[in-house]
C-alpha cells in the first residue's frame, strides 16, 4: 500500500534541532571562558542538550530522505527522486565548502586551510549520497535493506574506538578530513553516518507499517522504551556483550558510549514530538522546520562571517556574560528566522539560487563556444 501521509512531526523535530543549533552556536562562540563552568548545573544542562542537536540532525535527515525514496519507489518511479537526492547531496557538499570561503583573505593572497575542514553540511551531503547508493542496491529487498541499515549504524558506533584518534598524514587533507578530526574537522563520516543509517532504518519501519492501526501509539511507546534503554543501559549491555563474546571492542565502546546514549536522546525527542504531532500541523514550529537549510546558511554568515570574514565572532568572540549571551541568543534566533521567513519561502530558496546560477553558467559557456 502506497502511503501519502506526511510525517508532520519531522518538521517539528527539525525546527527544534535548528533552534538548538542557533542558540548553541551563538552562546558557545560568544560566551566568555570565565563562565564555562562544568560544576554549574545550568551550564551542564545547556551543554547536554546542545549535544543532542547534531545527532538529531543526522538521524532526522536519514529518516525523511529515505522515506521519500521509498515512497517514490512504491509509486513505481524513484529515478527522479534518486537524481534529486544525488543533486541535494552534492549541493550540501558545495554549500558546506562555500560557507568557509573568505573572499577578503583570498583576494589578499592568503588561503586558509580552514576551507577544507568538514562540517555538518558536507557530512550530511555525503551521507545522503551513501543512502542513495544503498537504496539502489537493496530497494528490491525491503527487510534486508532494513537489516543492512541497522547493521551499518551499529558498526559505525561500536567501532568508534578504532578510529577515534586516527590520523591520516599520508592522505590528502581534502579527503582525510572526512575521516579524521586531527586537522580540525568538526564532523566526520564515521561515526556520524551511523545516525543517518539509524534514521533511514526507522523510515523503513514507518513506510511498511504507518497505515496499520495503533501504529502511532505503539511507535511512541517504542521510541520511549528503546530511548531510555540506550540512555541508561546501553553501556551495561555492551559490557556484558564483551564479557560473553570475549571481544574487547565492546568494552572499549562501552567506556566512552556517547553515540548510543545520544541516539537514545534522539528517540525520546522523536517520541515527544510524534505524540504531539496533531498540535504541530501548520504551526510556526513546523514552518521553521521547512527552512532549516536557509536558516543554517544565514546564521553561518551572520555569526562566522562567511565570504567577508566579518561576523559576530570577529567582534564579540568569547566576550559576553551569561545574561547578555542568553538575551543575544534569543535575539539572534529571532533575527535569523525573520530573515529566513522574509527572504526564503522554503529551503528551495537556496536550491533555486544554485540552479539559476548553474543555468546562467551553462548559457555563458555555450555562448562563449
Amino acid at each position: 500500500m502506497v502511503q501519502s501521509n506526511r510525517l508532520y512531526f519531522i518538521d517539528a523535530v527539525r525546527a527544534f534541532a535548528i533552534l538548538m543549533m542557533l542558540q548553541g552556536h551563538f552562546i558557545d562562540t560568544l560566551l566568555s571562558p570565565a563562565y564555562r563552568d562544568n560544576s554549574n548545573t545550568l551550564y551542564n544542562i545547556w551543554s547536554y542538550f546542545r549535544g543532542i542537536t547534531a545527532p538529531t540532525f543526522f538521524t532526522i535527515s536519514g529518516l525523511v530522505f529515505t522515506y521519500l525514496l521509498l515512497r517514490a519507489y512504491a509509486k513505481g518511479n524513484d529515478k527522479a527522486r534518486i537524481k534529486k537526492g544525488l543533486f541535494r547531496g552534492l549541493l550540501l557538499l558545495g554549500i558546506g565548502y562555500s560557507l568557509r570561503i573568505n573572499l577578503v583573505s583570498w583576494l589578499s593572497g592568503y588561503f586558509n586551510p580552514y576551507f577544507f575542514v568538514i562540517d555538518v553540511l558536507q557530512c550530511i551531503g555525503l551521507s545522503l549520497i551513501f543512502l542513495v547508493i544503498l537504496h539502489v542496491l537493496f530497494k528490491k529487498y525491503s527487510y534486508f535493506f532494513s537489516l543492512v541499515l541497522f547493521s551499518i549504524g551499529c558498526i559505525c558506533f561500536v567501532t568508534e574506538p578504532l578510529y577515534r584518534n586516527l590520523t591520516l598524514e599520508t592522505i590528502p587533507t581534502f579527503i582525510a578530513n572526512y575521516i579524521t578530526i586531527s586537522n580540525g574537522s568538526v564532523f566526520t563520516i564515521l561515526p556520524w553516518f551511523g545516525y543517518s543509517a539509524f534514521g533511514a532504518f526507522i523510515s523503513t519501519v514507518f513506510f511498511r507499517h504507518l497505515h496499520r492501526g495503533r501504529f502511532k501509539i505503539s511507535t511512541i511507546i517504542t521510541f520511549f522504551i528503546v530511548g531510555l534503554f540506550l540512555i541508561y543501559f546501553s553501556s551495561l549491555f555492551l559490557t556484558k556483550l564483551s564479557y560473553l563474546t570475549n571481544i574487547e571492542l565492546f568494552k572499549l565502546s562501552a567506556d566512552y558510549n556517547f553515540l548510543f546514549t545520544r541516539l537514545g536522546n534522539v528517540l525520546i525527542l522523536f517520541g515527544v514530538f510524534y505524540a504531539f504531532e496533531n498540535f504541530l500541523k501548520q504551526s510556526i514550529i513546523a514552518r521553521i522546520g521547512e527552512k532549516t537549510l536557509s536558516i543554517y546558511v544565514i546564521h553561518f554568515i551572520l555569526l562566522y562571517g562567511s565570504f567577508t570574514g566579518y561576523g559576530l565572532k570577529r567582534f564579540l568572540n568569547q566576550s559576553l556574560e551569561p545574561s547578555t549571551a542568553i538575551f543575544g541568543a534569543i535575539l539572534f534566533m529571532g533575527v535569523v528566522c525573520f530573515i529566513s521567513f522574509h527572504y526564503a519561502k522554503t529551503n528551495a530558496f537556496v536550491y533555486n539560487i544554485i540552479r539559476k546560477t548553474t543555468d546562467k553558467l551553462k548559457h555563458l559557456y555555450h555562448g562563449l563556444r
Side-chain angles (χ1 to χ4, degrees):
M1 177 178 180
V2 178
Q3 281 298 318
S4 59
N5 301 50
R6 178 179 175 86
L7 301 176
Y8 289 95
F9 84 98
I10 287 176
D11 289 330
V13 173
R14 289 196 293 196
F16 172 84
I18 199 70
L19 292 175
M20 287 292 290
M21 182 210 67
L22 289 178
Q23 63 84 19
H25 282 181
F26 185 93
I27 292 176
D28 183 64
T29 302
L30 305 183
L31 181 67
S32 171
Y35 301 101
R36 298 169 190 261
D37 183 8
N38 291 324
S39 63
N40 184 292
T41 302
L42 291 177
Y43 179 80
N44 278 333
I45 293 173
W46 170 82
S47 182
Y48 186 83
F49 277 94
R50 181 171 178 256
I52 301 174
T53 304
T56 302
F57 261 123
F58 280 97
T59 308
I60 203 69
S61 296
L63 193 162
V64 66
F65 183 76
T66 307
Y67 183 77
L68 293 175
L69 278 174
L70 292 171
R71 282 181 56 182
Y73 176 65
K75 292 176 181 178
N77 183 18
D78 59 347
K79 291 183 179 179
R81 178 59 62 176
I82 289 172
K83 183 178 179 180
K84 184 177 180 180
L86 290 174
F87 173 79
R88 182 163 298 187
L90 293 172
L91 181 61
L92 290 177
L93 288 170
I95 294 175
Y97 282 115
S98 68
L99 289 175
R100 295 189 178 278
I101 292 175
N102 186 329
L103 293 175
V104 176
S105 176
W106 286 16
L107 291 173
S108 66
Y110 175 70
F111 178 82
N112 194 328
Y114 169 79
F115 174 78
F116 292 116
V117 167
I118 302 305
D119 212 327
V120 64
L121 288 188
Q122 292 102 314
C123 206
I124 289 181
L126 189 57
S127 295
L128 297 186
I129 292 172
F130 285 165
L131 289 177
V132 168
I133 294 172
L134 290 171
H135 168 76
V136 171
L137 291 175
F138 302 111
K139 61 184 178 181
K140 295 181 180 179
Y141 314 98
S142 177
Y143 286 95
F144 186 68
F145 185 35
S146 297
L147 178 62
V148 168
L149 292 168
F150 183 81
S151 300
I152 288 175
C154 290
I155 292 170
C156 288
F157 285 8
V158 171
T159 59
E160 188 271 340
L162 300 179
Y163 53 80
R164 182 183 301 160
N165 300 312
L166 184 66
T167 58
L168 300 170
E169 299 175 357
T170 59
I171 296 178
T173 303
F174 176 78
I175 299 174
N177 283 352
Y178 283 92
I179 307 170
T180 176
I181 61 174
S182 61
N183 298 320
S185 287
V186 182
F187 296 95
T188 50
I189 199 65
L190 293 175
W192 293 98
F193 179 60
Y195 286 108
S196 296
F198 278 122
F201 164 75
I202 294 171
S203 77
T204 64
V205 177
F206 268 88
F207 183 74
R208 277 197 298 266
H209 305 293
L210 185 61
H211 61 283
R212 297 186 178 182
R214 298 186 179 276
F215 172 79
K216 184 171 183 177
I217 184 64
S218 61
T219 300
I220 292 170
I221 293 171
T222 301
F223 276 148
F224 279 104
I225 292 175
V226 177
L228 290 171
F229 172 82
L230 290 175
I231 294 170
Y232 295 106
F233 300 105
S234 58
S235 295
L236 177 62
F237 178 80
L238 289 168
T239 302
K240 293 291 185 182
L241 200 58
S242 176
Y243 175 77
L244 292 173
T245 61
N246 201 29
I247 298 176
E248 188 179 4
L249 182 60
F250 291 125
K251 180 64 168 60
L252 294 174
S253 180
D255 290 340
Y256 188 58
N257 180 26
F258 73 96
L259 294 169
F260 283 108
T261 54
R262 288 303 192 197
L263 180 60
N265 295 138
V266 172
L267 295 182
I268 295 293
L269 196 64
F270 282 6
V272 170
F273 281 103
Y274 198 23
F276 292 97
E277 183 180 47
N278 290 334
F279 300 99
L280 299 170
K281 295 178 180 179
Q282 310 304 321
S283 68
I284 185 67
I285 295 295
R287 290 183 63 198
I288 291 174
E290 296 173 355
K291 307 171 187 293
T292 50
L293 180 59
S294 301
I295 290 174
Y296 185 90
V297 171
I298 293 166
H299 110 281
F300 213 94
I301 294 172
L302 295 179
L303 185 59
Y304 300 112
S306 298
F307 310 119
T308 65
Y310 290 92
L312 292 175
K313 181 179 181 180
R314 185 183 183 93
F315 303 102
L316 300 172
N317 187 35
Q318 298 188 351
S319 65
L320 301 183
E321 296 181 351
S323 57
T324 309
I326 293 172
F327 175 77
I330 295 172
L331 182 62
F332 183 67
M333 287 190 290
V335 169
V336 171
C337 289
F338 174 80
I339 294 173
S340 178
F341 275 95
H342 189 69
Y343 291 102
K345 293 182 179 180
T346 64
N347 282 343
F349 167 75
V350 177
Y351 298 132
N352 287 336
I353 289 178
I354 301 296
R355 288 192 180 96
K356 289 178 181 177
T357 303
T358 302
D359 290 340
K360 288 181 180 179
L361 290 174
K362 286 180 179 178
H363 289 312
L364 178 62
Y365 172 75
H366 290 302
L368 292 174
R369 292 182 66 187

